[in-house]
C-alpha cells in the first residue's frame, strides 16, 4: 500500500513538472517570437555583430592573402563564384588584382537567403546579411599578393584552410551564417537535427572538386581539397552549437522541482534523475544526467548554481549521439 501511494505521488509530481515545463517552454517561445519581431532582440545581441565582423575579416584575409595567390579554389558557393571569375578572366575580361568573386558570391546568395526567410528567425537572417555583406566588401578591398606569402605551397594551403574555417566558425558561433552551402547545411540541421555544417560542406566540396578535375590540373584540385578539409575541421571546432556534451549534476538538494523545470523549460532539454548515496558522507545525493550542446553548457551551469552553489558538475565531450537529440544551430 505504501509503495503504491509513493508511486502515485511520484507520478503526480512528474505530471506537475511536465506541465510546468510545457508552460515555461511556451513562455520562452513567445518571448523569442515577440523579441524577434522588434528591436529588443537586436539590442540584446548587438555584441554579436563585432564578432561576426571579426569572423568575416578572418575569412576574407585567409582567402585573399593565402588562398588566391596560390590560384586555388574555395568550396561550395564561393568556389563557384571563384570559378565564374576565372572563366570571365579567361574570356578576356580583366579584373587585374581586384577580387570580384565576393560580388558574384553575394548575388548567388540572394536565392538562398530568400528560401531561408521562410524557415529561419528574422534576427538570423539580418545577421547573415551582415556577414555576407561584410565578406563581399572585405574580399573587394583586401589586396591580393602577387605571390604566395610562404614558400611552401602545402603550408599556405593548410594555413588558408584554418584561417578561413576559423572565420566561418566565428560567424556561426555569433548566430549568423556566411551564406552559400552553409545556409543549406544549417537548414538541414534545423530540420532533421542531424549532421554538421563542416561535414555537409565537405561533401559538397568533393562533388565540386570532382567537376573541377575536368577543367583544371589534378594538383590544383588536390590542394583545393586539402584546403577544404582543414577548413571544415576548423569550422566544427569553433561552431560549439554543433558539439554535444554530457553533463552530470550532483546535488544534495531535497527539492529540485523548480530547478528541473528551469533546465528543461529554458534549454528545452530532457533530464534523467538517478538516486545515490555518498559513500564518504552517507548522505542521499541526486544525480541528473543531461545532454546539451557545448554552447549551452555555461547557461546550464548558471541555472544549476542559481539553486545550489555547492553542486558538483561534470562535463564530458560526446563523440556521437543517435536518437532524438535536437541540434540547435544558433
Amino acid at each position: 500500500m505504501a509503495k503504491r501511494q509513493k508511486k502515485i505521488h511520484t507520478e503526480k509530481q512528474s505530471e506537475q513538472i511536465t506541465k510546468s515545463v510545457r508552460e515555461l517552454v511556451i513562455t520562452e517561445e513567445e518571448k523569442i517570437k515577440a523579441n524577434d519581431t522588434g528591436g529588443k532582440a537586436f539590442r540584446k545581441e548587438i555584441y554579436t555583430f563585432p564578432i561576426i565582423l571579426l569572423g568575416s575579416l578572418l575569412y576574407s584575409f585567409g582567402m585573399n592573402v593565402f588562398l588566391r595567390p596560390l590560384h586555388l579554389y574555395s568550396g561550395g558557393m564561393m568556389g563557384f563564384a571563384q570559378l565564374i571569375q576565372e572563366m570571365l578572366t579567361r574570356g578576356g575580361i580583366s579584373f587585374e588584382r581586384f577580387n570580384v568573386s565576393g560580388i558574384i558570391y553575394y548575388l548567388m546568395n540572394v536565392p538562398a537567403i530568400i528560401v531561408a526567410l521562410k524557415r529561419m528567425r528574422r534576427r538570423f537572417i539580418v545577421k547573415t546579411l551582415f556577414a555576407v555583406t561584410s565578406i563581399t566588401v572585405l574580399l573587394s578591398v583586401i589586396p591580393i599578393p602577387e605571390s604566395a606569402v610562404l614558400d611552401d605551397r602545402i603550408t599556405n594551403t593548410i594555413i588558408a584552410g584554418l584561417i578561413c574555417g576559423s572565420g566561418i566558425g566565428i560567424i556561426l558561433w555569433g548566430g549568423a551564417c556566411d551564406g552559400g552551402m552553409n545556409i543549406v547545411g544549417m537548414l538541414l540541421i534545423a530540420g532533421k537535427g542531424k549532421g554538421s555544417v563542416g561535414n555537409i560542406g565537405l561533401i559538397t566540396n568533393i562533388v565540386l572538386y570532382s567537376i573541377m578535375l575536368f577543367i583544371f590540373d589534378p594538383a590544383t584540385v588536390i590542394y583545393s581539397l586539402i584546403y577544404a578539409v582543414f577548413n571544415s575541421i576548423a569550422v566544427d571546432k569553433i561552431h560549439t552549437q554543433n558539439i554535444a556534451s554530457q553533463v552530470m549534476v550532483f546535488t544534495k538538494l531535497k527539492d529540485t522541482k523548480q530547478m528541473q523545470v528551469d533546465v528543461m523549460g529554458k534549454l528545452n532539454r530532457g533530464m534523467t534523475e538517478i538516486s545515490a548515496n555518498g559513500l564518504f558522507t552517507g548522505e542521499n545525493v541526486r544525480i541528473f544526467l543531461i545532454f546539451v550542446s557545448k554552447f549551452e553548457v555555461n547557461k546550464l551551469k548558471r541555472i544549476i548554481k542559481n539553486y545550489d552553489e555547492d553542486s558538483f558538475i561534470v562535463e564530458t565531450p560526446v563523440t556521437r549521439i543517435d536518437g532524438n537529440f535536437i541540434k540547435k544551430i544558433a
Side-chain angles (χ1 to χ4, degrees):
M1 186 69 179
K3 287 184 179 179
R4 186 182 176 187
Q5 287 178 341
K6 185 177 180 181
K7 183 180 179 182
I8 292 171
H9 174 73
T10 304
E11 288 176 351
K12 285 183 178 179
Q13 189 180 38
S14 178
E15 288 175 3
Q16 289 174 354
I17 291 173
T18 303
K19 184 180 178 182
S20 299
V21 168
R22 285 175 180 169
E23 289 174 353
L24 187 56
V25 167
I26 292 170
T27 303
E28 291 291 317
E29 287 178 351
E30 287 176 348
K31 285 180 181 178
I32 289 170
K33 287 178 181 178
N35 289 339
D36 209 41
T37 56
K40 189 181 291 184
F42 296 114
R43 287 195 296 271
K44 285 183 178 179
E45 296 190 16
I46 194 70
Y47 74 93
T48 61
F49 285 88
I51 293 172
I52 293 167
L53 182 60
L54 173 63
S56 302
L57 179 60
L58 275 176
Y59 175 78
S60 303
F61 177 79
M63 179 69 64
N64 276 11
V65 176
F66 285 94
L67 193 69
R68 291 292 292 176
L70 298 174
H71 301 288
L72 299 180
Y73 294 84
S74 178
M77 200 172 286
M78 179 58 78
F80 282 108
Q82 289 178 277
L83 192 59
I84 291 171
Q85 179 176 344
E86 179 64 24
M87 293 298 102
L88 290 173
T89 302
R90 291 186 180 187
I93 301 175
S94 176
F95 300 103
E96 296 181 355
R97 306 303 299 171
F98 187 71
N99 188 359
V100 298
S101 60
I103 298 171
I104 299 170
Y105 177 70
Y106 193 93
L107 295 174
M108 293 175 69
N109 264 292
V110 173
I113 292 173
I114 290 173
V115 173
L117 275 169
K118 299 177 181 179
R119 298 185 59 182
M120 310 299 285
R121 291 175 183 169
R122 183 186 168 194
R123 59 179 137 174
F124 171 79
I125 299 299
V126 170
K127 290 194 284 187
T128 295
L129 280 170
F130 176 73
V132 174
T133 303
S134 299
I135 289 171
T136 300
V137 173
L138 290 166
L139 283 176
S140 301
V141 299
I142 295 175
I144 302 173
E146 293 185 4
S147 59
V149 176
L150 302 175
D151 294 332
D152 186 42
R153 196 180 190 193
I154 188 69
T155 304
N156 277 282
T157 304
I158 293 172
I159 290 175
L162 293 176
I163 292 176
C164 292
S166 298
I168 294 172
I170 290 170
I171 292 170
L172 295 172
W173 187 87
C177 181
D178 64 308
M181 290 308 300
N182 282 337
I183 286 185
V184 177
M186 295 182 84
L187 286 170
L188 288 173
I189 292 171
K192 296 183 178 181
K194 295 180 180 180
S196 75
V197 174
N199 287 340
I200 291 168
L202 184 58
I203 292 169
T204 305
N205 291 337
I206 291 172
V207 175
L208 173 64
Y209 295 138
S210 297
I211 296 171
M212 288 171 61
L213 276 171
F214 296 96
I215 303 173
F216 302 105
D217 62 283
T220 299
V221 178
I222 291 170
Y223 278 107
S224 296
L225 189 56
I226 291 171
Y227 158 83
V229 170
F230 281 92
N231 184 295
S232 67
I233 291 171
V235 168
D236 281 342
K237 287 295 181 183
I238 295 176
H239 185 212
T240 52
Q241 294 97 317
N242 199 49
I243 303 171
S245 290
Q246 172 188 292
V247 179
M248 295 183 72
V249 179
F250 296 77
T251 179
K252 295 178 183 178
L253 288 178
K254 301 296 181 184
D255 184 7
T256 58
K257 177 183 174 182
Q258 192 55 48
M259 184 179 76
Q260 294 173 55
V261 169
D262 271 4
V263 170
M264 292 189 287
K266 291 180 178 178
L267 294 181
N268 194 21
R269 297 293 189 189
M271 300 174 69
T272 300
E273 181 180 355
I274 304 168
S275 296
N277 292 308
L279 293 179
F280 183 72
T281 61
E283 295 180 274
N284 292 329
V285 178
R286 286 184 171 186
I287 303 172
F288 292 99
L289 183 63
I290 312 155
F291 289 91
V292 294
S293 71
K294 191 173 181 64
F295 187 75
E296 297 170 306
V297 170
N298 286 334
K299 187 174 181 180
L300 172 62
K301 287 180 179 179
R302 286 196 297 270
I303 294 173
I304 299 298
K305 291 296 182 179
N306 186 47
Y307 291 94
D308 184 7
E309 283 285 344
D310 298 323
S311 59
F312 188 64
I313 302 174
V314 181
E315 177 192 353
T316 307
V318 177
T319 304
R320 178 176 174 178
I321 297 179
D322 290 325
N324 188 26
F325 179 75
I326 301 171
K327 283 192 175 182
K328 302 174 184 178
I329 58 176

